[in-house]
Amino acid sequence: MYYPDEVIEEVRSSNNIVDIIGGYVRLQKKGSSYFGLCPFHNEHTPSFNLYPESGSFYCFGCGAGGDVITFVRRIENLDYMEAVKFLADRAGLQLPELGVDDSMSKLRARILEINRETAKFYHGVLKSPSGKVGLDYFLQRGLKPSTITHFGLGFAPDTRFALVNHLKGKGYTDEELVQANVAVKTRSGKPMDRFFHRVMFPIIDLRGNVIAFGGGTMTDQKPKYLKTSDTLAFKKSYGLFAMNFAKNSGKEQLILAEGYMDVIALHQAGFDNAIAGLGTALTTEQAHLIARYTKEVVIAYDADEAGQKATARAIQ
Ligand code: ZN
């Protein structure tokens, strides 16, 4: 199952390879080509070369090489078709239908739309009178309004159907809302908001998709943090909060903090290379993802006993 050559060629030519690779590698110009540190092996002197004229790259250190599709496949860990889709999306190209059962990828796309709409909704509520309690909470915790906007923070109101009604008004079905895990089914079978009376933290992947939410309480309500369960668009073992910002920080280290609020406070103080897991112990998948961006991680968990134990586990 492949796209026709001319489609592939269009995808290739619509994506400037210097822009794409420059998003991952700090490139230096040398004549008509560029060089930098290879993202595919560990090196201190650059042996990664980019040749814009032929639209290709080659690393003399590890032998990695190919075109822009190969690069995206390897760096984003995608298969060929996914890499083509990634680049087509980026260039705003519509790929032809391949006549296969793509209901899963359609549902995934719907879930991402629902998530984006949900993030907008929660952010809007935060700025409205019904979100005042949430806004006050963030302000009391020392967040600036610009930080709140930067992270797209929000508030899930204290009713059980506010979001569900909003999204149904936008044409999403009960089943889609449940699949996106922004709603749960009640005993009567009717969907109800998954989050209510919580401050909301959207979790954004490296491509800028809202993939999930963390919801925090402002009181002793349990659980303290509630997050989206795994969906077609989200696997929590891979999730890292603020990695979408930290990957562009240009700093050599990443700071691994314990919670959303810690990360946000660090960013506000200028440490825009701070990230966090999603309220569980650091997973192997998260460690692999982190290793693609840095060789050095500073663990900045809480100094209490639980934090020290978590630090010892994360170091492994
Ligand atoms: Zn290399």
Side-chain angles (χ1 to χ4, degrees):
M1 210 185 50
Y2 293 102
Y3 292 112
D5 287 349
E6 59 271 19
V7 171
I8 300 294
E9 197 41 53
E10 193 188 2
V11 167
R12 239 187 237 126
S13 61
S14 307
N15 282 279
N16 181 331
I17 193 169
V18 179
D19 288 349
I20 304 278
I21 295 185
Y24 302 91
V25 178
R26 212 177 304 165
L27 294 168
Q28 288 175 268
K29 200 163 191 330
K30 183 181 66 182
S32 65
S33 62
Y34 293 83
F35 67 101
L37 291 174
C38 178
F40 303 119
H41 82 281
N42 190 5
E43 64 176 5
H44 297 291
T45 47
S47 44
F48 179 88
N49 287 266
L50 168 58
Y51 311 103
E53 282 168 14
S54 62
S56 63
F57 69 95
Y58 186 75
C59 171
F60 290 98
C62 67
D67 64 5
V68 67
I69 299 172
T70 320
F71 184 87
V72 164
R73 271 184 80 167
R74 288 201 54 174
I75 199 97
E76 291 289 344
N77 213 358
L78 304 173
D79 69 27
Y80 185 80
M81 298 293 273
E82 288 172 333
V84 171
K85 281 199 186 105
F86 176 98
L87 288 167
D89 283 351
R90 194 178 176 281
L93 297 175
Q94 185 79 43
L95 288 171
E97 298 281 331
L98 287 176
V100 294
D101 176 18
D102 59 351
S103 57
M104 281 298 150
S105 66
K106 278 198 178 128
L107 178 56
R108 184 174 179 279
R110 289 288 278 181
I111 291 173
L112 291 174
E113 277 176 30
I114 288 171
N115 287 347
R116 183 166 294 272
E117 199 56 57
T118 299
K120 255 166 68 185
F121 176 80
Y122 288 148
H123 188 64
V125 173
L126 184 76
K127 291 177 161 173
S128 77
S130 56
K132 189 176 181 304
V133 53
L135 185 62
D136 286 348
Y137 172 84
F138 284 134
L139 295 175
Q140 276 160 21
R141 296 287 301 266
L143 299 192
K144 294 180 196 157
S146 59
T147 303
I148 291 171
T149 306
H150 183 61
F151 281 91
L153 304 182
F155 186 69
D158 200 8
T159 63
R160 308 295 150 104
F161 300 98
L163 178 69
V164 164
N165 289 338
H166 173 76
L167 291 172
K168 285 177 75 167
K170 297 259 169 194
Y172 298 102
T173 66
D174 290 0
E175 188 55 30
E176 286 172 335
L177 302 187
V178 171
Q179 287 289 338
N181 199 234
V182 298
V184 289
K185 259 194 190 128
T186 57
R187 235 175 294 165
S188 69
K190 253 178 83 176
M192 175 181 93
D193 291 1
R194 168 90 199 279
F195 301 94
F196 47 86
H197 201 63
R198 284 177 184 267
V199 286
M200 298 301 295
F201 303 83
I203 296 158
I204 297 168
D205 73 5
L206 298 175
R207 300 178 217 177
N209 294 315
V210 179
I211 49 171
F213 295 90
T217 62
M218 298 154 294
T219 58
D220 290 334
Q221 186 190 344
K222 299 274 180 213
K224 177 87 186 135
Y225 282 97
L226 186 66
K227 65 176 171 291
T228 306
S229 305
D230 283 4
T231 69
L232 279 177
F234 173 61
K235 267 210 165 79
K236 61 177 175 296
S237 61
Y238 285 84
L240 286 169
F241 181 65
M243 193 65 180
N244 55 314
F245 297 127
K247 76 174 165 93
N248 299 324
S249 73
K251 300 192 172 84
E252 287 183 2
Q253 300 166 329
L254 286 174
I255 300 171
L256 182 63
E258 202 163 301
Y260 311 119
M261 287 300 286
D262 303 325
V263 169
I264 294 170
L266 281 162
H267 279 244
Q268 185 170 278
F271 298 93
D272 58 354
N273 53 337
I275 57 171
L278 304 180
T280 45
L282 191 71
T283 66
T284 309
E285 292 87 349
Q286 287 164 338
H288 280 301
L289 188 60
I290 290 170
R292 293 213 321 244
Y293 290 91
T294 186
K295 298 291 167 227
E296 188 174 340
V297 178
V298 177
I299 301 179
Y301 288 169
D302 291 353
D304 59 13
E305 200 191 332
Q308 288 179 30
K309 279 189 181 151
T311 303
R313 276 199 307 270
I315 288 169
Q316 302 296 321

